[in-house]
Amino acid sequence: MKKEVTKEKIILELLNKSGDAVLIADKETREFIFANSRISKMTGYTKKEFEKMKVDDLHPKEDLKKIISDFKLQASNKKVLTKNAKVLKKNKEIILCDITTTTTKLFGKSVAIGIFRDVTEEKNIEESNKKFKELFNNMPSVATIYETKDKGKSFILKDINRYGLKKEKLHKKELVGKKISKIFPETKKLSLFSTIKEVWKTGRGKQHPIISYKNNKIDRWRENYVYKLPTGEVVVLYKDLTKEKQSEEDLKEYKLLYDTSSDAFMTLEPPSWKFTSGNPSIIKMFRLKNEKEFLSSEPWKLSPKYQPDGQLSSEKAAKMIKKAMRNGSNFFEWTHKRINGEDFPTTVLLTKFNSKGKNILQATVRDITNKKDTETKLKDEKEISNSVINSLPGIFFIFDKTGKFLRWNKNLSKISQYSDKEISKSKPTMFFTGKDILTIATKIADVFKTGKAMVEVNFTRKDGVKIPYYFIGNLIEIKNKNYLIGTGLDISKRIDAEKEVVSSEKKLKTVLENIGEGVFVIDKNYKITMFNKQASLISGFTKEEAYGKDYLKSIKLNCETLSKNEESFIRKSIAEEEIQKTMNQCGLITKNKDRVAIKGISTPLKDDENNLTGSVIVFRDITEEKKIEKMKNEFISIASHQLRTPLSGIKWFSELLIDGEAGKLNDTQKKFVNKIYDESKNLILLTKDLLDVSNIEIGGKIKIQKEKIKIVNIIEEILKEIDFIIKQKELVIKIDGSLYKKTVLFTNKEKLKQIFHNLIDNATKFSEQKGKIEVGYKTKGKKEIVFFVKDFGVGIPKNQQEKVFGKFFRAKNIATKSSGTGLGLYIVKSLVEYQGGKIWFKSKENKGSTFYFSLPLKV
Amino acid sequence: MKKILIIEDDLTLQEAIKIALISEGFEVIQAMDGEEGINKIKSEKPDLILLDLMLPKKDGYRLLYDLQKKSWFENTPIVVLTAIDSEASLTETKSYGAVDYIVKSDFSIKEVINKIKKFIK
């Protein structure tokens, strides 16, 4: 055994050192018994690993059947060769091996000894040679093989491939054995020759492109590859890349555009027309997260439901796609929708192209929001400016230096009566006639010279009618060209108004100047700003002396002196901003120191904002009036006295007749004489009233000391006097008892009595049967007492109330019913005011009247 | 029978008052101006004088003034009967001794006579 072991050991030792890769497997179990170092190296399995493997593990399944059958075939001492058996390396790589197997007995077992020869390389070379030849002939490049026999000085063509022959349109026979410099003379020029030489010398392959450009675009691109074959031959291979490079270049541009363009590019494919690709802009444009979101988006998600024309987006899109497919391309405007829901206007260009035998569409979408905005803005702007221009109240126009009209508003044609066509052919001077042409031409020149001009000139219509116009021209520059932009306004109304103002002012001035009253105007500092002829005549001062000076320098009024503030009417009207009249009369000292009585009225002047600017004073000399007034009063006084005696005679004799002094009268006679008696009494009353009035109007001359007068006597006396009528009318007279205790200051009792008498007498007269009369008072502070006499009678009609205190006033509702002179209330008012009091009343027709009068309690 | 002197230049009024006074039982004597009035006062010694103020030759005021200085005047009551309706006139005549001042037109004859009667004892 030991011997045998040794012998077997030696065999294994030998096998182990063999340059061949050897594997020994049990013929029965196909388990490996032995593996030498070589096979380990070849397959990557360690010897130990082999001990656990069997033949089945070493070959891929597809080859296993054949190998196993070969393995079984092996008979003793008979070699079996399995060619190109695939061997599975530990790293799963497959190598090709020729396996020579012999069967022998070892360790008492029948074993198969396999010697593996790796034929992968050989096979590859063989394969590649074959492929090379095929490639060489079929490659879409021109390939040539050269050899050199003079150590690289010249290269002789040995072979050329089929493509080369086709491309160069040559026959192989004409080329083989000929020098490269003869076949392709340009190789030297293009330095390809030196490359070939270099490659032959170094053995390192080299690329040698030949590129030429035309118009900055690739015209020719030939890529040459030069290799040295192991045989020492040199292969020159060239490929014409012009087209590729050109398209590559285009593609590059396209790619650049595709990636960087703000336009969105996408492809859509039938039949669903979903997006199949898209550039980065899409993501931005539609506010998407990434391309994936885009590709997963339904196309309808990126458009609103409806397009602005009202069509459904889906329907319209189908139409657009159909059109693009039919015509090859379709360009249209489209409203898209961003993923956030915002609509935006775009233009879309759909282009049909063929990809992998399929007609698909490429879409270029451009966001035109800004463009659209600008367009809308421009459009709006123009519309606005047009409507503004056309709605201008006057004429508007723009013309250039030659006078050619660029734009004008409707008013120009409407007012001028020239058509737009006529205007477009005419010059600005067409609208003017006579000397106005020269005026307007000069002004136009001024605008182009100085930038601005304005003029009032007559605008002549087509029918020759002239309208006064005010034109303003301004220079404007549009696209480096100067134009005159102008407007014209109809000023006929203004001119008419001005004429009117001038003439009415003139009229007013003339009237003021020549009016019979003195008129002057002062500013708020009392300086005279206007002084008419009559003012000058009355005062004796000339206009020149009066103007600009304080009014008191020329109109020396004693009522206006500072010490008599109360009587001042001019200063009061300025201070109180109200119309004021002279109280009674006012003395004016003329330049010649004469004294003139005047009456005047001062009216404050206000500007548009209601600020006081001064006052206008109208005054007149009342000296003459006063003389006449005096004569009148004297006449009345004398006449009423003189009338009284004969009137008393009539009265008394009629009384005697009634009393039967001349015999008894029958009833009719008595009635008649009674009438004479009553009328004479009325006449006497009238003379008395007239006398009172004249006395009042002469008034104020005699100052009589005021005395305290008790009211009580007065009222009692009056009541006694009118007792008859009270009884007759059954009147109730209610008198405030405390009234009797009152005393007032008055010049004389008779006059005070007259006041009460007249008021109470009126109240009885105008009360109805069984009417009521109230007499009372109320003190107003300690200085004043207010008395009142109230009746519930006929009252005073509203429209006559303002005349109540006038002379000879008799209200219409009582004029025919009762007697009276119409002087009673005038006398009362005069008496009250003379005493420094006031009188007023409240009255309502058919409800009654209340008369109030105030009197001072102290001096 | 009481004697009343009427000094009045207006005959109509004189006549009216005369009738009324006579019918009241008075004796009436008349003067047409101030001078005649003075003479009649002196000669007739009336019980009351009715004096008008606006008289020829010597007016009522003057007459009143002068009478005060006559030693023979026995303070016969003088009632002024006038057309002058004036406070000043009233004051003036009263200061010269007139006992009453009657404005003719303001009163009826009856009232005038009633007023006179008060001053006749």
Side-chain angles (χ1 to χ4, degrees), chain A residues 25-33 54-56 71 109:
Chain A
D26 186 319
K27 201 114 190 233
E28 285 293 313
T29 61
R30 296 200 295 274
E31 285 169 350
F32 294 119
I33 299 162
K54 53 196 275 189
V55 174
D56 306 38
F71 189 80
K109 282 178 193 172

Side-chain angles (χ1 to χ4, degrees), chain A residues 276-311:
Chain A
T276 49
S277 74
N279 70 339
S281 264
I282 285 180
I283 292 154
K284 232 170 126 187
M285 191 181 282
F286 289 97
R287 312 278 190 266
L288 294 159
K289 277 189 210 102
N290 48 40
E291 199 184 354
K292 211 173 155 191
E293 196 185 354
F294 168 66
L295 292 176
S296 64
S297 287
E298 307 285 341
W300 54 263
K301 263 193 178 170
L302 302 179
S303 295
K305 192 172 183 190
Y306 293 99
Q307 287 300 303
D309 60 5
Q311 293 192 60

Side-chain angles (χ1 to χ4, degrees), chain A residues 421-486:
Chain A
K421 205 175 168 187
E422 285 171 311
I423 293 168
S424 69
K425 286 179 184 167
S426 65
K427 303 245 160 143
T429 45
M430 175 176 77
F431 304 104
F432 303 92
T433 45
K435 65 173 172 37
D436 289 339
I437 294 176
L438 188 68
T439 310
I440 205 78
T442 314
K443 288 292 170 183
I444 291 170
D446 281 354
V447 173
F448 284 106
K449 215 189 283 170
T450 65
K452 189 169 188 166
M454 48 217 86
V455 63
E456 276 184 21
V457 70
N458 280 325
F459 181 82
T460 308
R461 295 199 317 217
K462 196 177 180 180
D463 62 5
V465 171
K466 290 180 180 180
I467 310 164
Y469 257 78
Y470 178 69
F471 286 102
I472 304 175
N474 277 297
L475 190 68
I476 52 156
E477 201 184 282
I478 305 168
K479 288 174 186 164
N480 291 325
K481 222 178 141 188
N482 284 336
Y483 292 92
L484 185 150
I485 178 165

Side-chain angles (χ1 to χ4, degrees), chain B residues 8-97:
Chain B
E8 167 69 75
D9 62 334
D10 188 286
L11 281 173
T12 315
L13 289 186
Q14 221 182 67
E15 188 66 23
I17 290 169
K18 189 182 160 188
I19 292 166
L21 286 173
I22 288 169
S23 94
E24 288 284 324
F26 290 107
E27 186 193 341
V28 176
I29 43 171
Q30 293 158 278
M32 296 294 287
D33 58 59
E35 272 177 17
E36 195 190 346
I38 291 255
N39 293 335
K40 290 258 168 104
I41 295 166
K42 196 180 176 184
S43 60
E44 298 283 342
K45 300 216 183 297
D47 296 299
L48 185 136
I49 303 154
L50 271 177
L51 176 66
D52 185 15
L53 289 177
M54 290 188 284
L55 292 168
K57 291 183 184 170
K58 186 179 272 193
D59 68 23
Y61 304 105
R62 185 74 201 197
L63 188 145
L64 282 167
Y65 182 78
D66 287 351
L67 268 180
Q68 286 186 312
K69 297 184 176 165
K70 304 287 181 191
S71 53
W72 48 262
F73 184 62
E74 293 167 354
N75 285 325
T76 315
I78 303 173
V79 172
V80 176
L81 184 65
T82 176
I84 298 168
D85 185 2
S86 144
E87 203 77 17
S89 175
L90 182 142
T91 316
E92 195 179 348
T93 53
K94 286 206 169 173
S95 71
Y96 299 148

Side-chain angles (χ1 to χ4, degrees), chain A residues 265-467:
Chain A
F265 299 112
M266 61 197 86
T267 50
L268 302 99
E269 287 185 27
S272 65
W273 299 110
K274 280 193 176 172
F275 303 117
T276 49
S277 74
N279 70 339
S281 264
I282 285 180
I283 292 154
K284 232 170 126 187
M285 191 181 282
F286 289 97
R287 312 278 190 266
L288 294 159
K289 277 189 210 102
N290 48 40
E291 199 184 354
K292 211 173 155 191
E293 196 185 354
F294 168 66
L295 292 176
S296 64
S297 287
E298 307 285 341
W300 54 263
K301 263 193 178 170
L302 302 179
S303 295
K305 192 172 183 190
Y306 293 99
Q307 287 300 303
D309 60 5
Q311 293 192 60
L312 272 167
S313 288
S314 54
E315 282 176 13
K316 197 177 179 184
K319 278 184 213 163
M320 292 296 142
I321 288 168
K322 211 170 162 188
K323 194 177 168 192
M325 293 300 283
R326 189 173 64 235
N327 299 345
S329 72
N330 184 15
F331 181 76
F332 54 93
E333 283 197 3
W334 190 261
T335 297
H336 273 102
K337 189 176 80 176
R338 302 191 215 278
I339 212 79
N340 61 12
E342 177 197 350
D343 289 357
F344 63 105
T346 61
T347 57
V348 177
L349 173 65
L350 290 178
T351 317
K352 178 173 86 171
F353 75 101
N354 192 290
S355 168
K356 298 165 202 163
K358 239 202 296 189
N359 276 328
I360 68 168
L361 284 176
Q362 191 266 322
T364 307
V365 178
R366 178 166 293 177
D367 185 343
I368 55 165
T369 309
N370 288 336
K371 195 178 148 200
K372 200 86 187 170
D373 280 357
T374 323
E375 247 174 41
T376 319
K377 258 187 208 161
L378 271 174
K379 215 172 148 191
D380 288 354
E381 202 94 349
K382 184 139 191 192
E383 256 169 39
I384 288 166
S385 73
N386 268 339
S387 55
V388 165
I389 286 167
N390 282 326
S391 62
L392 281 174
I395 293 169
F396 172 87
F397 48 84
I398 300 176
F399 57 77
D400 67 10
K401 223 171 173 174
T402 68
K404 189 177 158 52
F405 284 96
L406 190 73
R407 263 183 106 174
W408 58 92
N409 67 349
K410 282 180 189 150
N411 275 346
L412 181 58
S413 53
K414 203 167 120 194
I415 291 160
S416 70
Q417 301 175 336
Y418 288 102
S419 69
D420 283 338
K421 205 175 168 187
E422 285 171 311
I423 293 168
S424 69
K425 286 179 184 167
S426 65
K427 303 245 160 143
T429 45
M430 175 176 77
F431 304 104
F432 303 92
T433 45
K435 65 173 172 37
D436 289 339
I437 294 176
L438 188 68
T439 310
I440 205 78
T442 314
K443 288 292 170 183
I444 291 170
D446 281 354
V447 173
F448 284 106
K449 215 189 283 170
T450 65
K452 189 169 188 166
M454 48 217 86
V455 63
E456 276 184 21
V457 70
N458 280 325
F459 181 82
T460 308
R461 295 199 317 217
K462 196 177 180 180
D463 62 5
V465 171
K466 290 180 180 180
I467 310 164

